[in-house]
Amino acid sequence: MEENLLCQWGVFRSLLAIVQWWAFNVTVIIMNKWIFQKLDFKFPLTVSCVHFICSAVGAYLVIKVLKLKPLILVDPEDRWRRIFPMSFVFCINIVLGNVSLRYIPVSFMQTIKSFTPATTVVLQWLIWRKYFDWRIWTSLIPIVGGILLTSITELSFNMFGFCAALFGCLATSTKTILAESLLHGYKFDSINTVYYMAPFATMILAVPALVLEGSGVILWFQTHTSIISPLIIIFSSGVLAFCLNFSIFYVIHSTTAVTFNVAGNLKVAVAVLVSWLIFRNPISRLNAVGCAITLMGCTFYGYVRHMLSQNRLQPPPGTPRTPRSLVELLPLVNNDKLDDKI
């Protein structure tokens, strides 16, 4: 009886963690799109800077004031030698995501973002000469095919937004790969990651945002008589962006890797559906099919990756099992759980 209650509580906790993660993630995406499209605040660098500021303040309050998470100490030299380069890529990743939202629908952006597993594998293979089992490469075929079908049939296609989303995938993959080497030896959770990276990201982005968008932001303030409500929405999106990081920490510790992978792909489907209900962007049947193929491919990729990591899919005889370089002595990239950090 007691074991059944514990099991039921575990299932309920996992479902609660997934639902609140979905809620924060989808809300942040929809709010950002609302800011760009409905509020006519077309300044993705400024919005990203607001998010970084809110995240830096939120992480400080959680760790230093409320003490909900212990601070992971980092050597001062490592902050510049390791954390700063990661923060730079982290900044580019978030900015490109918001830039793509500025120009293309949420559904298209989220589908392209699902291309990240493919770019991660290709980058590791090309630059780090990392060996991957043939089943990993095979599992990428439906992801690539789905992305191509979605891109060809997208009715609201914008080349600049498409390129921003695609380079955002490359930035996400680069961040994930660099985390293996630059953060080696530090066991960061999502809150400590934001605590160290958000201030650096704010410092990196503040000047470009001021130079490129400063005059436009001033003009926006001058042409809008009522700015209280828009400002509340903009800063609320920043607060929710930090809450998203906290929700990621909760869901990682409440679910298994397989559950997280499936929930992550279902989250994309939820975001696509909710965005369509709100913004009513046109979606063709073939476009929807391409999105579905991509999500199923991502789920299959996660399944294959998990089974290989558990040694349940044994490689055929003669397959090299030893690392080809020192880099391969590091564990396989397993930071996909943190890709939603804002």
Side-chain angles (χ1 to χ4, degrees):
M1 183 66 179
E2 188 174 336
E3 290 182 358
N4 288 334
L5 289 175
L6 289 175
C7 182
Q8 291 175 1
W9 167 246
V11 172
F12 176 76
R13 182 186 177 189
S14 298
L15 289 175
L16 181 63
I18 291 171
V19 169
Q20 56 89 30
W21 174 46
W22 282 2
F24 282 122
N25 187 275
V26 174
T27 303
V28 169
I29 293 172
I30 297 301
M31 287 186 73
N32 287 351
K33 186 64 177 178
W34 186 276
I35 290 168
F36 297 137
Q37 185 169 320
K38 300 296 184 180
L39 299 183
D40 201 36
F41 192 83
K42 304 182 185 299
F43 309 106
L45 298 185
T46 303
V47 171
S48 300
C49 206
V50 170
H51 285 191
F52 291 144
I53 293 172
C54 292
S55 294
V57 173
Y60 180 85
L61 291 175
V62 168
I63 293 177
K64 290 289 190 177
V65 179
L66 301 177
K67 300 187 183 300
L68 297 177
K69 280 292 298 176
L71 175 65
I72 297 176
L73 298 178
V74 177
D75 186 77
E77 182 181 348
D78 282 345
R79 294 189 185 189
W80 289 99
R81 188 166 56 91
R82 297 188 179 192
I83 304 297
F84 184 79
M86 281 293 300
S87 302
F88 184 78
V89 180
F90 171 71
C91 178
I92 294 176
N93 177 33
I94 299 304
V95 168
L96 288 175
N98 284 330
V99 169
S100 65
L101 268 181
R102 160 76 172 80
Y103 292 97
I104 60 178
V106 172
S107 56
F108 191 31
M109 187 273 280
Q110 286 288 291
T111 305
I112 297 174
K113 192 175 180 180
S114 300
F115 194 55
T116 301
T119 57
T120 303
V121 170
V122 170
L123 280 178
Q124 286 188 300
W125 177 68
L126 284 176
I127 300 176
W128 277 265
R129 300 298 180 184
K130 192 178 184 67
Y131 166 78
F132 287 97
D133 189 276
W134 66 270
R135 281 157 286 199
I136 291 289
W137 293 104
T138 303
S139 67
L140 297 177
I141 294 176
I143 300 177
V144 176
I147 294 291
L148 288 175
L149 180 59
T150 304
S151 302
I152 293 172
T153 58
E154 175 58 45
L155 300 177
S156 304
F157 185 86
N158 179 282
M159 180 56 73
F160 187 74
F162 171 76
C163 290
L166 196 59
F167 281 109
C169 291
L170 291 173
T172 301
S173 299
T174 303
K175 174 174 65 69
T176 302
I177 295 170
L178 287 178
E180 285 191 346
S181 56
L182 292 181
L183 302 184
H184 186 61
Y186 291 105
K187 296 183 178 180
F188 279 122
D189 53 61
S190 57
I191 305 301
N192 273 276
T193 300
V194 172
Y195 177 84
Y196 284 108
M197 291 188 184
F200 276 134
T202 305
M203 182 179 66
I204 293 168
L205 190 59
V207 174
L210 185 63
V211 172
L212 298 176
E213 297 180 347
S215 58
V217 172
I218 294 174
L219 182 62
W220 183 86
F221 275 108
Q222 292 174 346
T223 55
H224 288 72
T225 55
S226 177
I227 62 172
I228 301 300
S229 296
L231 285 179
I232 291 175
I233 294 175
I234 292 171
F235 279 94
S236 295
S237 71
V239 174
L240 290 175
F242 167 72
C243 292
L244 173 60
N245 288 279
F246 207 81
S247 71
I248 292 172
F249 167 76
Y250 181 40
V251 77
I252 286 173
H253 288 79
S254 302
T255 61
T256 63
V258 175
T259 302
F260 189 93
N261 175 261
V262 175
N265 293 312
L266 289 176
K267 172 182 64 66
V268 175
V270 172
V272 170
L273 177 61
V274 173
S275 69
W276 180 81
L277 291 174
I278 294 175
F279 299 105
R280 294 292 178 176
N281 56 288
I283 300 177
S284 65
R285 290 184 179 180
L286 283 177
N287 191 263
V289 170
C291 180
I293 292 174
T294 303
L295 295 183
M296 287 189 291
C298 289
T299 304
F300 180 59
Y301 165 83
Y303 169 76
V304 171
R305 192 65 178 265
H306 175 72
M307 295 298 285
L308 286 172
S309 68
Q310 298 296 318
N311 292 324
R312 295 177 184 175
L313 294 177
Q314 296 295 332
T319 301
R321 294 297 301 268
T322 55
R324 297 186 177 185
S325 66
L326 290 177
V327 175
E328 288 198 28
L329 293 174
L330 294 174
L332 289 175
V333 173
N334 194 28
N335 294 328
D336 297 341
K337 296 179 179 180
L338 305 181
D339 285 344
D340 288 307
K341 290 198 294 294
I342 300 294

